[in-house]
Amino acid sequence: FFQKTLTAIKIWFTLFGWSKGQNPISIPHSLRRDVCKVQITSSQEKGFKKTLGKNTKTVYDMIFHLSGQLLPGITLSQSLPLDPVERVLQLHCQHSTMLAFLTSQGACLSHVMPEFLFEPDDYKKWIEVQTVQKVEDVKNSGRLSNNHLFILEDSTFETMSKRAWTDVLLQIYKVFVLPRVPSRNITDLFSLESVQHIPRIKSEPLSSNIYSPYERAILTWLNKHYEENRKTVWKDCQKGGVPPMRWIVNFDQDLLDGLVLAAQLAAYCPYLIATYFVRMYTNPRTHAQFLHNCLILVNAMHAVSLATGIKV
């Protein structure tokens, strides 16, 4: 599942994440490598600059293209010093600024540390610098600083870096791309009498610290179609009858049995009901019954070419 998510993100950002056409990316390699267009030498040779590539596109170019905003204190022609220590200190500052900016726009990135976005060699240098700093703190004050230092093995760091960059891209998509998708007023979804008794999911921006207004719009859509279709889809079901009404408030527990997603699919492809959905358990209790339902759902999605490559 994670690999399929990674592939989908890579394709979308390659095609649409940049100005002036496509720009192939690899996650995390090209993103963490292309963080500057110019490198400058040490302070002894301030006048010398090394251009890394006229057409190099950085993550800052991507954010500017999708949001129209520059990160505070960071330019599109950002440069990095060649000195390894100065380099990692500046990189850490830049990544911290980027994460803080995305968080201010509504991204959920508290689990991503700036150093997880480094190249492996830069990460090792960062650990070295921070270790030395901690030793100096002990010498000067007699106590350790409160800064957490995550020391990861090479393979673990690669996994963590890939996940961190993936989450950064997902959140960039969430805060800068999804808000552009037009939608009807959420209250219109509950205009039918059959769904007016369902509790409303508030759409105000501050009414949830978990889901964005757009995610809550999806929850509202799930509630609407499930309640509208459950009696129609499973009126002839021999494995539990019509499922009970439910209030769908999350994307994990409430979707586990496959019934809610089946109701959504049935709303648009009602011809799948007799062939697939009537064979689902409407009150599943065992893992086998949950799996049975999900297999039917996936098979139905394959039938309409909606889930190529998805497996249970």
Side-chain angles (χ1 to χ4, degrees), residues 134-150:
K134 283 183 175 290
V135 172
E136 290 297 321
D137 290 342
V138 172
K139 287 182 179 179
N140 296 332
S141 64
R143 59 185 179 183
L144 286 169
S145 64
N146 293 325
N147 295 331
H148 295 290
L149 186 61
F150 294 93

Side-chain angles (χ1 to χ4, degrees), residues 85-253:
V85 174
E86 294 180 9
R87 173 187 170 87
V88 297
L89 291 176
Q90 182 172 322
L91 264 180
H92 194 274
C93 180
Q94 289 179 196
H95 289 329
S96 297
T97 299
M98 179 179 69
L99 293 173
F101 171 75
L102 294 175
T103 300
S104 72
Q105 302 299 310
C108 299
L109 291 167
S110 60
H111 62 293
V112 176
M113 308 296 290
E115 56 266 32
F116 294 161
L117 305 177
F118 283 178
E119 287 266 50
D121 289 343
D122 289 330
Y123 174 73
K124 291 175 183 177
K125 177 57 67 174
W126 170 257
I127 295 298
E128 180 184 320
V129 171
Q130 292 304 299
T131 302
V132 171
Q133 184 61 51
K134 283 183 175 290
V135 172
E136 290 297 321
D137 290 342
V138 172
K139 287 182 179 179
N140 296 332
S141 64
R143 59 185 179 183
L144 286 169
S145 64
N146 293 325
N147 295 331
H148 295 290
L149 186 61
F150 294 93
I151 303 177
L152 306 175
E153 297 292 334
D154 291 351
S155 59
T156 304
F157 172 75
E158 279 297 322
T159 300
M160 185 67 75
S161 182
K162 181 183 291 187
R163 183 59 186 263
W165 275 109
T166 299
D167 288 346
V168 166
L169 292 180
L170 283 170
Q171 293 300 311
I172 287 175
Y173 185 88
K174 185 183 84 170
V175 299
F176 296 135
V177 180
L178 280 183
R180 303 176 190 171
V181 178
S183 62
R184 293 182 299 170
N185 192 315
I186 289 180
T187 56
D188 294 342
L189 297 177
F190 286 91
S191 58
L192 296 179
E193 183 178 350
S194 61
V195 295
Q196 288 180 355
H197 59 284
I198 300 177
R200 298 296 186 269
I201 294 176
K202 296 182 179 179
S203 59
E204 292 77 12
L206 299 180
S207 63
S208 172
N209 63 350
I210 299 176
Y211 295 129
S212 69
Y214 311 101
E215 290 165 318
R216 277 175 271 142
I218 294 174
L219 288 173
T220 300
W221 175 71
L222 292 173
N223 276 287
K224 171 185 180 292
H225 281 306
Y226 176 76
E227 184 57 27
E228 275 187 355
N229 293 295
R230 64 185 178 89
K231 294 180 181 179
T232 302
V233 176
W234 290 288
K235 64 180 180 180
D236 298 322
C237 179
Q238 302 299 315
K239 296 184 177 180
V242 175
M245 184 183 76
R246 67 170 75 175
W247 190 26
I248 303 150
V249 295
N250 58 62
F251 294 101
D252 43 21
Q253 293 295 322

Side-chain angles (χ1 to χ4, degrees), residues 265-306:
L265 193 52
Y268 300 96
C269 306
Y271 53 84
L272 296 174
I273 296 174
T275 308
Y276 294 94
F277 300 144
V278 293
R279 297 185 286 112
M280 299 176 76
Y281 289 95
T282 54
N283 189 26
R285 299 182 182 277
T286 67
H287 291 300
Q289 291 175 346
F290 276 76
L291 178 61
H292 172 89
N293 282 2
C294 291
L295 285 171
I296 289 178
L297 177 62
V298 170
N299 288 337
M301 295 172 76
H302 280 299
V304 292
S305 301
L306 189 61

